[in-house]
Amino acid sequence: MIFADKLIDLRKKSGWSQEELAEKLNVSRQAVSKWEGAQSIPDMNRIIQLSELFGVSTDYLLKDNLEQAESTQGNDEVNSSRTVSMEEANAFLATKEENSRRVALAVMLCILSPVALILLSGAQAFGLLDWPEEVAGGIGLIVLILMIIPAVALFIISNIRISRYEYLEKEPVDTLYGVTGMVRDRKERFQPVHTQYLLIGILICIASVIPLFISMFFGKESFWGVVGIASILIMAAIGVLLIVRVSIIWGSYQMLLEEEDYSREEKESSRRYGYICSAYWCLITAAYLAWSFIGNNWQTSWVIWPIAGVAFGAVIGITKALKKR
């Protein structure tokens, strides 16, 4: 069987038209037609692309006397991985770039949402507002809800947009010719921006406690203490915005390259850790609601979230250490 016949056979078995195959290879339909009509043969780069696309060896494509049965030996491992083309990789990176803005803004809104409630309740408690306690708390809750609603909408939109690429985070992938080089180049160019924004975001989060310390000079039982707590949330929101923004983009490169947290070993581990994560955050949420409602400590119960975030890293670290043992 000559190359042209093999190409026709592989394309039809994959259920693709000439136009669809041409799009995956980033060539014209006429080029595919000429290959299948034995009028021309693709260059070596295209042969490699076809080999990866169909899961066959280059020898099978180029050698007329090599049978299909021989070309598929050992392909069970190849077929267990999803193949990512250049077009799909670019579309994924563009979607992640858009989602990084949406998710970062949504997270910031969630962090800022209780600020109005804290300030209004504090102002009413210290006599700076001549409002009933119910009015001050009610307005604060309305502002909180009005900020949570668009945040949830942004999360949902982001999840819908990226859902088609979910396999990149959970399954092994193989990239076609040129994809890995393109992603590495973009990652290297983005690295200075990632480092800069990450550093600034972390420093802002660390510095967020400074206003609270300053407020202590005015006395523990004063409205300035409330302002200090609100300042922590405002500064943390800005820092987290920067961190989330660049981390999502950086993570998109790691997914395509299967590096660090998205290596094949980590993907396998994440399936097992998923149950631990779900149980952990359900318990934390239950503890937060119990502390807030039963103890009526809404002004201080928020501290459970940063503590839980730090403790979560320790839980995962201990779990991994026990697994290695």
Side-chain angles (χ1 to χ4, degrees):
M1 194 187 310
I2 64 172
F3 170 78
D5 295 331
K6 293 176 182 178
L7 182 59
I8 293 172
D9 181 59
L10 291 170
R11 177 177 61 78
K12 290 183 176 180
K13 284 182 178 179
S14 298
W16 297 330
S17 64
Q18 288 186 344
E19 289 83 357
E20 290 172 324
L21 178 58
E23 183 179 350
K24 294 179 183 296
L25 296 172
N26 197 26
V27 298
S28 65
R29 187 200 63 80
Q30 289 77 10
V32 175
S33 179
K34 288 182 179 180
W35 298 343
E36 293 187 351
Q39 299 176 21
S40 66
I41 295 178
D43 60 29
M44 197 58 199
N45 288 338
R46 299 300 182 197
I47 292 292
I48 294 173
Q49 280 186 282
L50 289 167
S51 169
E52 295 175 341
L53 191 61
F54 292 120
V56 297
S57 66
T58 54
D59 283 347
Y60 168 71
L61 294 173
L62 296 174
K63 295 181 179 180
D64 295 345
N65 60 347
L66 195 60
E67 296 295 328
Q68 173 71 23
E70 297 177 10
S71 71
T72 56
Q73 289 180 357
N75 271 357
D76 290 341
E77 181 180 352
V78 174
N79 292 333
S80 67
S81 303
R82 295 283 293 269
T83 302
V84 182
S85 65
M86 182 68 75
E87 293 77 13
E88 191 169 11
N90 281 318
F92 168 71
L93 293 175
T95 303
K96 274 291 190 177
E97 169 72 24
E98 294 174 359
N99 275 1
S100 68
R101 292 190 289 268
R102 296 190 189 97
V103 174
L105 178 58
V107 171
M108 185 179 73
L109 288 173
C110 289
I111 297 174
L112 292 176
S113 61
V115 170
L117 178 60
I118 293 171
L119 291 175
L120 289 174
S121 298
Q124 189 277 332
F126 287 102
L128 298 178
L129 282 177
D130 190 19
W131 294 353
E133 182 179 353
E134 294 78 9
V135 174
I139 294 176
L141 285 173
I142 290 173
V143 174
L144 184 148
I145 293 172
L146 289 177
M147 296 181 76
I148 290 295
I149 290 174
V152 172
L154 288 170
F155 282 130
I156 293 174
I157 292 172
S158 299
N159 187 61
I160 293 173
R161 295 286 178 85
I162 204 64
S163 59
R164 60 176 295 195
Y165 302 107
E166 188 176 0
Y167 69 90
L168 288 171
E169 185 176 354
K170 299 180 179 180
E171 301 177 17
V173 295
D174 289 318
T175 55
L176 293 182
Y177 179 78
V179 174
T180 299
M182 179 274 292
V183 176
R184 288 194 185 280
D185 180 63
R186 292 182 62 168
K187 181 183 177 184
E188 289 176 3
R189 286 188 280 113
F190 182 72
Q191 185 169 9
V193 178
H194 172 257
T195 303
Q196 181 182 5
Y197 276 60
L198 196 63
L199 179 60
I200 294 173
I202 292 173
L203 291 177
I204 291 176
C205 289
I206 295 173
S208 64
V209 297
I210 294 177
L212 182 61
F213 292 149
I214 294 176
S215 67
M216 292 180 180
F217 291 106
F218 299 94
K220 295 182 179 180
E221 299 296 330
S222 71
F223 179 68
W224 289 109
V226 178
V227 173
I229 294 174
S231 299
I232 290 177
L233 294 179
I234 294 172
M235 294 182 67
I238 297 172
V240 170
L241 171 72
L242 298 176
I243 294 171
V244 171
R245 177 85 162 85
V246 296
S247 295
I248 290 177
I249 298 174
W250 188 257
S252 67
Y253 299 137
Q254 292 180 333
M255 286 184 194
L256 288 172
L257 297 173
E258 291 191 306
E259 295 178 341
E260 299 181 30
D261 292 339
Y262 300 101
S263 65
R264 299 196 177 188
E265 294 78 10
E266 288 295 327
K267 287 177 181 178
E268 182 64 28
S269 298
S270 65
R271 296 177 184 176
R272 295 189 292 269
Y273 298 145
Y275 299 106
I276 298 175
C277 297
S278 300
Y280 177 86
W281 288 111
C282 284
L283 290 173
I284 293 299
T285 302
Y288 169 72
L289 294 174
W291 186 9
S292 301
F293 279 107
I294 298 175
N296 195 26
N297 286 317
W298 290 96
Q299 290 187 350
T300 55
S301 59
W302 61 269
V303 300
I304 197 172
W305 296 110
I307 294 173
V310 175
F312 179 70
V315 170
I316 294 299
I318 292 171
T319 304
K320 289 183 178 180
L322 293 174
K323 177 181 175 298
K324 288 181 179 179
R325 281 194 175 185

